[in-house]
Amino acid sequence: SAAAMEKLVRSVEETPEPISTNITGTIPRWISGNFLRNGPGKFEIGNQMFNHWFDGMALMHQFKISNGQVTYKSRFLSSDSYKSNKEHNRIAVSEFGTVTMPDPCKNFFQRFVSRFELPKPTDNANVSFVTYKGDYYVSTETNVMHKVDPETLEATQRVDWTKFVAVNGATAHPHTENDGTTYNMGNSYSSKGAYYNIIRVPPTKKTDGDTLEGAAVLCSIPSVDKSKPSYYHSFAMSENFVVFIEQPIKMDLLKIVTGKLTGKSISDGFFWDPKGSTTFHLVNKHTGTVSPIKYIAQPILTLHQINAYEENGFLIIDMCASDDGQAINNYNVQNLRKSGEALDEVYNTMCRVFPRRFVLPLNMDQHTPYKQNLIDQIRTTATSVRVGKNKVFCTHEDLHGEDLHQYGGLEFPQINYGKYNTRPYRYFYGCGFRHLVGDSLIKMDLHDKQMKVWQHPGLYPSEPVFVPSPDATQEDDGVVMSVVITPNEDKSTFLLVLDAMTFEELGRAEVPVNIPYGFHGTFNAQV
């Protein structure tokens, strides 16, 4: 119901002291650690409201699990944005979709000048929890991250990417190798135009106080359109390659930079170019060289990768993708707070997101034939055809059956990352989206594209996180955890634990507080 939807984006208070939860069923005793979640928690300051779901002030949650018991606490990130907004009791910092009106207290002249300032990038890190060198950070897509103590949820240090590498920010979805080496991507802008940079952060600290020391740009890829780089939310990584997917959702830098001048917000500077194509750029992780071959596909929008690996001379890339990038503009708070039919209308104009596989041939030379499918030795309906000296046109395979349509597609994909990222794998987990937010949990088996589904009316599960059991021998030996929102009932949010193999509920820990729908989480295991 629409009233329920509205509650998914209502503001809540923080719960900085741990409170106990009410457990139904059993939480396996072997689970030991903190399930950390991050997402927007406050949508209005004073009497002003944020416009875009990605704008809400960051609220960090911790479910501490130990010996079958669970406690809960939450804390707002005391970012400069949050402090400045609290102090002025008005929205003083530009977030993704919200324009700051000039301060009414300034006199006319100062007000005029304040419209010419560049929007100060926000440090409201509300997208995810990430790790660098073993430390936890909360992150969004700007240049500032906050180091956070996973025990107390207190922000201990503000870390600025620009002090370490020449980038304007970095994604909230880095990739980590088994030794702890972390890869990320960030943009830089110069008089020559916009560049996409692949960044590598070393696995260990030299001193206790280390943050991003030693981070380096592995390579820079120039944007095809100098003043309109593509927006990307994540990237793919296999054993030997980082794959940057340049998609036709563009950022109009001029509009963004002059945003204050025209009263437009940053998200108004994003546009979908349906005539554009999608380009896969392959970067060798060991040499930093970009492959001269450009792999091209139809225009798609992808926010989240599932996995990528190399097999028999091919690079297999699995992602959640849709054919239409208009969606990003639909997540504004006015839309989420709409009622009944208006809300259905918003949902129906959004393009569904589905899991897809692309297969890119790696071993091409001047003898590679044109105009025929180059994929052999791999069972797939995806195709790759050489159409130019250094150009390959790719079509995808659907990683699902017809039955996924009735669940509205799949987003927020997760795998058994520690053991199977960059390797051949069989299972992934995600949220089904029959509403503007997830309303089912799905496990996909890639061997036969069969699904297992957990779904109950009125319950809205967030991103499923897989945690392997201590002596796991199978890929899906472990649990899947998700925070489930219950907007129809007051204060009955719960942490759900499913057996990952059977996808049956093992137990739940109910929290006597309201929690808004969040984005991403991680499990911080404690031995």
Side-chain angles (χ1 to χ4, degrees):
S1 80
M5 259 325 165
E6 183 174 328
K7 288 185 187 141
L8 294 176
V9 293
R10 66 178 157 197
S11 298
V12 295
E13 295 306 313
E14 61 183 359
T15 312
E17 294 305 315
I19 55 175
S20 57
T21 62
N22 180 20
I23 290 175
T24 321
T26 333
I27 308 288
R29 296 183 81 82
W30 59 261
I31 306 176
S32 174
N34 297 318
F35 184 39
L36 303 170
R37 303 253 329 144
N38 186 8
K42 193 167 178 59
F43 297 91
E44 55 277 302
I45 306 276
N47 59 4
Q48 291 178 299
M49 203 167 101
F50 288 113
N51 276 330
H52 199 282
W53 187 17
F54 299 156
D55 290 345
M57 286 287 135
L59 181 64
M60 299 173 291
H61 311 269
Q62 174 211 74
F63 292 88
K64 180 181 275 303
I65 310 167
S66 162
N67 293 321
Q69 293 303 308
V70 180
T71 58
Y72 169 81
K73 70 163 82 151
S74 70
R75 210 179 255 285
F76 279 107
L77 173 66
S78 58
S79 59
D80 293 352
S81 292
Y82 180 69
K83 287 186 222 151
S84 162
N85 290 341
K86 237 180 139 159
E87 192 185 315
H88 298 295
N89 205 25
R90 52 185 291 282
I91 300 172
V93 178
S94 289
E95 304 292 341
F96 180 76
T98 307
V99 180
T100 319
M101 285 319 287
D103 191 324
C105 307
K106 286 187 175 174
N107 68 34
F108 179 77
F109 177 70
Q110 279 173 301
R111 236 188 288 179
F112 182 76
V113 172
S114 85
R115 288 189 86 92
F116 283 89
E117 295 158 1
L118 268 179
K120 187 168 121 215
T122 177
D123 66 343
N124 174 32
N126 68 8
V127 177
S128 64
F129 268 96
V130 297
T131 54
Y132 293 97
K133 304 183 190 178
D135 286 328
Y136 281 81
Y137 292 84
V138 287
S139 166
T140 175
E141 301 178 346
T142 62
N143 56 316
V144 179
M145 295 191 299
H146 295 264
K147 191 193 281 195
V148 169
D149 177 335
E151 281 305 314
T152 64
L153 294 185
E154 286 180 293
T156 55
Q157 197 178 349
R158 191 173 184 273
V159 179
D160 184 341
W161 280 98
T162 57
K163 305 269 191 291
F164 301 94
V165 272
V167 294
N168 278 50
T171 81
H173 293 289
H175 273 294
T176 306
E177 301 195 308
N178 283 353
D179 71 351
T181 303
T182 306
Y183 288 84
N184 207 337
M185 284 195 59
N187 283 3
S188 58
Y189 307 105
S190 74
S191 54
K192 291 194 181 72
Y195 287 81
Y196 312 107
N197 302 282
I198 316 276
I199 310 159
R200 178 162 48 205
V201 181
T204 49
K205 300 179 175 189
K206 294 232 179 358
T207 68
D208 268 357
D210 258 17
T211 55
L212 298 174
E213 279 78 5
V217 170
L218 182 65
C219 88
S220 291
I221 301 168
S223 165
V224 174
D225 184 335
K226 287 188 177 51
S227 68
K228 298 189 177 76
S230 287
Y231 170 75
Y232 53 92
H233 184 79
S234 66
F235 58 95
M237 181 176 90
S238 66
E239 191 186 351
N240 297 295
F241 296 98
V242 165
V243 185
F244 166 52
I245 302 162
E246 192 171 14
Q247 53 190 5
I249 187 155
K250 305 277 183 62
M251 299 184 288
D252 187 329
L253 293 182
L254 198 67
K255 259 194 188 164
I256 292 173
V257 168
T258 58
K260 271 208 158 166
L261 213 58
T262 57
K264 293 261 189 273
S265 68
I266 295 183
S267 58
D268 289 330
F270 284 66
F271 67 98
W272 169 250
D273 174 10
K275 292 190 187 63
S277 58
T278 304
T279 306
F280 299 88
H281 301 270
L282 271 53
V283 178
N284 184 308
K285 276 156 59 172
H286 314 289
T287 63
T289 53
V290 185
S291 165
I293 297 163
K294 296 300 169 221
Y295 300 88
I296 312 288
Q298 296 282 14
I300 56 171
L301 166 67
T302 174
L303 293 177
H304 298 114
Q305 312 306 307
I306 305 172
N307 200 357
Y309 59 93
E310 295 152 51
E311 193 173 72
N312 298 336
F314 293 91
L315 175 59
I316 290 145
I317 306 176
D318 296 347
M319 65 183 73
C320 287
S322 82
D323 294 315
D324 186 359
Q326 295 297 354
I328 206 152
N329 292 326
N330 284 332
Y331 279 105
N332 66 40
V333 175
Q334 282 92 323
N335 275 343
L336 289 177
R337 289 188 172 171
K338 276 183 174 154
S339 61
E341 287 170 19
L343 196 70
D344 291 342
E345 198 177 305
V346 172
Y347 176 73
N348 290 332
T349 59
M350 290 184 68
C351 202
R352 305 290 171 265
V353 175
F354 288 97
R356 294 177 175 180
R357 167 168 292 175
F358 286 91
V359 180
L360 315 185
L362 293 171
N363 308 325
M364 290 183 54
D365 58 27
Q366 70 260 39
H367 306 299
T368 304
Y370 286 83
K371 295 194 176 158
Q372 68 184 60
N373 184 11
L374 300 174
I375 304 173
D376 52 10
Q377 332 212 2
I378 287 189
R379 262 188 60 204
T380 181
T381 55
T383 68
S384 279
V385 175
R386 185 178 184 189
V387 293
K389 181 168 178 263
N390 286 328
K391 215 178 204 179
V392 175
F393 186 77
C394 308
T395 67
H396 69 268
E397 169 186 359
D398 290 327
L399 293 185
H400 61 88
E402 272 302 303
D403 52 355
L404 183 54
H405 286 271
Q406 74 194 55
Y407 295 100
L410 182 147
E411 247 297 8
F412 294 138
Q414 285 287 336
I415 60 169
N416 179 342
Y417 189 95
K419 288 246 172 20
Y420 290 87
N421 193 47
T422 75
R423 295 178 185 84
Y425 72 117
R426 178 171 177 178
Y427 303 106
F428 63 87
Y429 311 90
C431 286
F433 268 78
R434 283 195 320 183
H435 289 82
L436 280 171
V437 295
D439 65 346
S440 61
L441 292 171
I442 294 173
K443 175 189 183 181
M444 183 68 75
D445 181 343
L446 288 172
H447 282 191
D448 53 12
K449 297 185 187 171
Q450 293 294 315
M451 309 190 312
K452 289 184 164 67
V453 180
W454 182 93
Q455 177 183 41
H456 291 278
L459 299 183
Y460 297 89
S462 56
E463 175 190 62
V465 171
F466 176 85
V467 181
S469 55
D471 32 12
T473 52
Q474 307 283 318
E475 180 183 340
D476 58 349
D477 199 341
V479 296
V480 164
M481 296 198 270
S482 169
V483 177
V484 180
I485 313 297
T486 56
N488 303 327
E489 292 163 52
D490 198 37
K491 303 195 169 162
S492 59
T493 304
F494 59 92
L495 172 68
L496 172 70
V497 181
L498 300 177
D499 177 320
M501 275 191 176
T502 63
F503 229 50
E504 297 294 324
E505 178 171 339
L506 294 170
R508 57 175 73 178
E510 212 168 278
V511 192
V513 296
N514 291 316
I515 302 181
Y517 194 85
F519 298 132
H520 297 293
T522 188
F523 185 70
N524 153 233
Q526 283 164 333
V527 189

